[in-house]
Amino acid sequence: MTRNNTYTDINLNEARQLWKQPDAVLVDVRETWEFEEFNEGGINIPLAEIRERRADLVPYKSIIVICTNGVRSKVAAMDYCRVPEWLDKRIFHVHGGIIESE
């Protein structure tokens, strides 16, 4: 039986604190134009590219996933939890997304 990782729901303020850690990365899974319009920082990996760009995240222990309202980022967080080599990583999902902060 394969064991899957689980993600933790956090709010935007918790994400900002966590992201200050050197081994943490904020992944914005919105489209590039959305990221360019407004973002919290971090790296932009559109949801459609998350599988091809997993190598970008290998150096990090904590992966924080964010989008506009939490829908796309939840899909990405669940996908990242299924990566067998990532059982040691901590996956966080910003519940409510960026609009929670406005």
Side-chain angles (χ1 to χ4, degrees):
M1 188 181 112
T2 53
R3 195 168 65 91
N4 280 350
N5 207 340
T6 53
Y7 66 85
T8 306
D9 276 327
I10 58 175
N11 65 36
L12 194 56
N13 284 334
E14 290 169 315
R16 288 179 180 138
Q17 290 305 311
L18 189 63
W19 186 38
K20 290 177 183 168
Q21 297 175 5
D23 62 350
V25 63
L26 181 69
V27 180
D28 190 321
V29 296
R30 297 175 304 146
E31 295 300 318
T32 306
W33 67 267
E34 293 174 281
F35 184 78
E36 287 168 357
E37 207 169 80
F38 172 80
N39 66 72
E40 285 289 328
I43 60 173
N44 178 221
I45 303 179
L47 186 59
E49 298 171 25
I50 62 170
R51 292 192 172 165
E52 299 89 81
R53 295 189 51 198
R54 279 182 185 157
D56 296 3
L57 307 180
V58 168
Y60 302 98
K61 278 268 176 246
S62 298
I63 301 171
I64 309 153
V65 197
I66 192 168
C67 70
T68 303
N69 57 16
V71 176
R72 286 175 282 182
S73 54
K74 189 171 195 166
V75 171
M78 291 190 308
D79 187 76
Y80 289 153
C81 287
R82 291 188 201 102
V83 181
E85 310 79 55
W86 286 10
L87 286 175
D88 61 331
K89 292 192 187 299
R90 295 167 61 213
I91 315 285
F92 297 92
H93 167 250
V94 180
H95 186 76
I98 292 170
I99 56 172
E100 179 194 81
S101 67
E102 290 180 350

